[in-house]
Amino acid sequence: FTVPAWVALPEGTPRGGLVVVQEIFGVNSHIRDVADRWAAKGYAVVAPAMFARVEPGGELGYTDADMKAGMELKSRAEALPGAGVLPDIQAAIDHAARLSGEQGGGKVGIFGFCWGGLLTWRAACELQGLSAAICYYGGGMTMGAEVDRQPRCPVMAHFGRRDHFIPVDSVEAFGRAHPE
């Protein structure tokens, strides 16, 4: 399987590599813009299409109908056998490392939003080749077995106190489980 991805390269030698993990809306114009902005700051950026195994070309907007469709695609992706989409993220990490090359030290960071925040957490705990990870409002990472995972690289997680999708008490419990 070849994972489609948006790749954004800097002018000149990359400072390092970044993997941007999408929300439930696919590698849409917002994710492409995020990747392009980081490339403009000097990074080789790879944004893999996490829905490619369940709906090639899946790209959504931000309407209520898109939210519903995105939740369905996320459910289908989460139901994939074995490691699910983690091999696709590993491929993106490896590609970003190659793109950043020796001048960028081959170092790769990863960040993701919402479902991408959860996948970023899983990647930080399960995959190879990451130097750092940042999870933005990682839906589901503060619950159940996700809390028991142990990261292999430094992780920074951001949550909102008024985010009605992620209960503050679960965020606080996650913080107690991972004071690092």
Side-chain angles (χ1 to χ4, degrees):
F1 183 77
T2 299
V3 183
W6 181 261
V7 175
L9 299 174
E11 289 185 27
T13 303
R15 299 171 65 180
L18 288 174
V19 173
V20 178
V21 187
Q22 68 178 56
E23 308 154 302
I24 62 167
F25 306 107
V27 180
N28 62 12
S29 61
H30 168 67
I31 295 300
R32 293 190 300 268
D33 180 62
V34 168
D36 291 346
R37 285 186 284 143
W38 279 103
K41 292 181 183 292
Y43 294 90
V45 185
V46 178
M50 297 289 82
F51 292 148
R53 290 182 185 270
V54 297
E55 178 141 341
E59 179 181 331
L60 302 167
Y62 295 96
T63 67
D64 288 343
D66 291 327
M67 173 87 72
K68 184 177 179 184
M71 293 298 285
E72 170 62 25
L73 288 171
K74 174 191 177 251
S75 293
R76 289 173 51 203
E78 288 283 330
L80 289 169
V85 297
L86 285 179
D88 300 345
I89 297 172
Q90 184 67 65
I93 294 166
D94 296 343
H95 191 55
R98 283 190 299 277
L99 291 172
S100 71
E102 288 183 24
Q103 295 297 321
K107 289 188 175 186
V108 176
I110 187 170
F111 66 95
F113 307 97
C114 201
W115 180 49
L118 170 62
L119 293 175
T120 294
W121 171 245
R122 290 177 181 166
C125 297
E126 302 295 328
L127 302 181
Q128 302 295 318
L130 290 170
S131 296
I134 303 174
C135 309
Y136 291 97
Y137 48 96
M141 68 181 273
T142 64
M143 307 289 233
E146 296 297 335
V147 178
D148 296 332
R149 293 182 188 267
Q150 295 300 312
R152 297 179 174 182
C153 67
V155 176
M156 181 185 297
H158 297 268
F159 299 96
R161 287 207 175 275
R162 293 180 285 191
D163 183 342
H164 62 275
F165 292 110
I166 304 172
V168 172
D169 61 338
S170 74
V171 173
E172 291 168 349
F174 183 85
R176 287 189 298 275
H178 292 282
E180 73 282 7

